[in-house]
Amino acid sequence: MTTNITSLVANVVLVALGILVASTQMAAAGDSFMDPQGPIAAVQKTHLLRATALILIAVIPVLVLVPLIALRYRRRKGGNAAYRPDWDFSARLEMLMWGVPVVIVAILSFYLWKTTYRLDPYSAPFGDEPAVQVQVVGLDWKWLFIYPDLGIATVGELGIPTKQQIAMTLTTDTVMQSFMIPALAGQIYAMPGMTTKLHLVADQPEVMQGENTQYNGRGFTKQKFETLAMDPDDFKAWVNKVRQDGIVLDAEAYKTLAMRTDRDEVQAALGTPEMPDRALYFKLDDGDLFHTILHRYHGGKALPLDQQPGTVAYGQEVGQ
């Protein structure tokens, strides 16, 4: 019987480890920090694995001891377990049951503080070169990426050079949204009239997916974009291509872009044959478009509905 219980416990542990490995492989097959493409995601992965290993120190003994205790102290004839009806305390057992979790929590707290400090999204701890400035505007249901120093903007595609810090400033021109590129950096929220910041670095050329993780309506599932990490020379060529093939992002183009349209609908409205099938390229008409969008919410009074993307007065959804 003891052999059977031990075998059962071993099988449970193996199944749990198998599920962990399988989930890790599935995450690595997609765009996940389990397959990191930059130092920030790599630190996040290390922290997760470290935390998992520490927690298993408490979990595995429980998985093993519970069935063994149930077997050892079960009610049966001829049992050899000691009968101690007046027993109620063991200092050694109490130290073990409480001491191990306390040590685990203390170690986890230290590493959590260390990782949180190192991965502060407002700081730029990775890379010494001047950062590439990217201003990000969340819309329904797409992300607008503005490169103020390069005079270009894109939708559906974020181009970045490898080995160089990318400094992002984020806001939205509609409801609150959640920006995330799992293989490069963690999630951060963006809200209208406010800004948040995020820094990231890509180690090598790669195509990764970014998305909005905050549900915001029917086009939520299509609010994704490709992050193209490129060698510096390829990035320069990409910038020139955006300039060459892009249309002017004037007030009329932005009004169309800001309507409640998903990626495919806005592509049909503003795309040209020279652009990729799933991305829009723009040349900036307003050199300070990002702050123009941001400061519209700082007038001290409610923004009229016909100036607020996401409302019927601003513009109906395509097809309605």
Side-chain angles (χ1 to χ4, degrees):
M1 178 68 74
T2 303
T3 302
N4 293 337
I5 293 296
T6 304
S7 177
L8 176 62
V9 171
N11 289 335
V12 170
V13 173
L14 287 175
V15 169
L17 292 176
I19 292 173
L20 177 62
V21 171
S23 62
T24 300
Q25 289 176 342
M26 288 189 342
D31 293 291
S32 167
F33 71 95
M34 296 303 292
D35 182 23
Q37 302 300 320
I40 299 173
V43 173
Q44 292 175 330
K45 177 182 178 180
T46 300
H47 179 67
L48 173 66
L49 296 179
R50 182 190 294 120
T52 302
L54 287 170
I55 292 172
L56 286 177
I57 294 174
V59 172
I60 289 179
V62 172
L63 293 176
V64 174
L65 290 175
V66 166
L68 290 180
I69 291 172
L71 173 66
R72 178 78 170 81
Y73 294 99
R74 75 190 188 280
R75 184 176 180 179
R76 70 193 189 280
K77 289 183 179 181
N80 57 1
Y83 178 63
R84 299 174 181 174
D86 297 325
W87 179 89
D88 63 357
F89 181 78
S90 169
R92 184 180 300 175
L93 188 59
E94 291 291 331
M95 288 294 294
L96 182 64
M97 289 191 304
W98 292 104
V100 172
V102 167
V103 172
I104 291 174
V105 170
I107 295 174
L108 281 175
S109 299
F110 168 75
Y111 280 114
L112 178 61
W113 168 81
K114 183 179 179 181
T115 304
T116 301
Y117 179 79
R118 187 182 185 194
L119 299 184
D120 179 2
Y122 278 67
S123 67
F126 301 97
D128 298 326
E129 293 186 38
V132 175
Q133 301 294 324
V134 181
Q135 298 166 335
V136 184
V137 181
L139 299 166
D140 291 329
W141 289 278
K142 76 283 293 183
W143 293 100
L144 171 64
F145 302 103
I146 302 170
Y147 298 75
D149 299 331
L150 303 175
I152 62 172
T154 62
V155 170
E157 193 172 278
L158 170 65
I160 59 175
T162 57
K163 306 295 185 180
Q164 188 171 355
Q165 196 88 214
I166 309 300
M168 292 183 163
T169 306
L170 302 95
T171 191
T172 79
D173 205 3
T174 179
V175 298
M176 181 174 70
Q177 299 185 16
S178 175
F179 182 89
M180 188 176 187
I181 307 175
L184 288 181
Q187 167 270 340
I188 193 164
Y189 283 104
M191 292 163 281
M194 303 177 67
T195 61
T196 49
K197 293 184 180 296
L198 181 66
H199 288 77
L200 52 86
V201 180
D203 285 333
Q204 58 190 5
E206 189 62 72
V207 179
M208 297 151 284
Q209 180 174 273
E211 59 189 328
N212 169 33
T213 63
Q214 177 78 29
Y215 180 75
N216 61 341
R218 70 168 177 86
F220 166 72
T221 57
K222 291 187 177 182
Q223 193 170 348
K224 304 180 187 297
F225 59 90
E226 286 189 341
T227 303
L228 309 180
M230 299 167 275
D231 291 326
D233 290 340
D234 292 336
F235 175 71
K236 292 178 182 178
W238 178 82
V239 171
N240 291 331
K241 179 175 175 57
V242 174
R243 288 198 187 108
Q244 177 180 340
D245 298 341
I247 63 175
V248 176
L249 185 56
D250 54 18
E252 191 63 29
Y254 181 78
K255 181 176 178 64
T256 301
L257 185 64
M259 290 183 184
R260 291 172 62 83
T261 51
D262 62 35
R263 184 176 55 193
D264 297 331
E265 292 164 344
V266 75
Q267 192 78 29
L270 294 175
T272 66
E274 292 76 20
M275 298 181 190
D277 292 337
R278 304 175 71 83
L280 295 172
Y281 292 163
F282 299 99
K283 292 172 284 194
L284 295 182
D285 179 57
D286 180 355
D288 204 14
L289 175 61
F290 182 83
H291 291 95
T292 300
I293 295 169
L294 181 67
H295 292 154
R296 291 197 294 111
Y297 297 91
H298 296 174
K301 58 183 179 180
L303 196 65
L305 291 180
D306 62 354
Q307 298 180 28
Q308 173 57 62
T311 64
V312 174
Y314 186 84
Q316 289 278 19
E317 296 183 26
V318 170
Q320 291 193 353

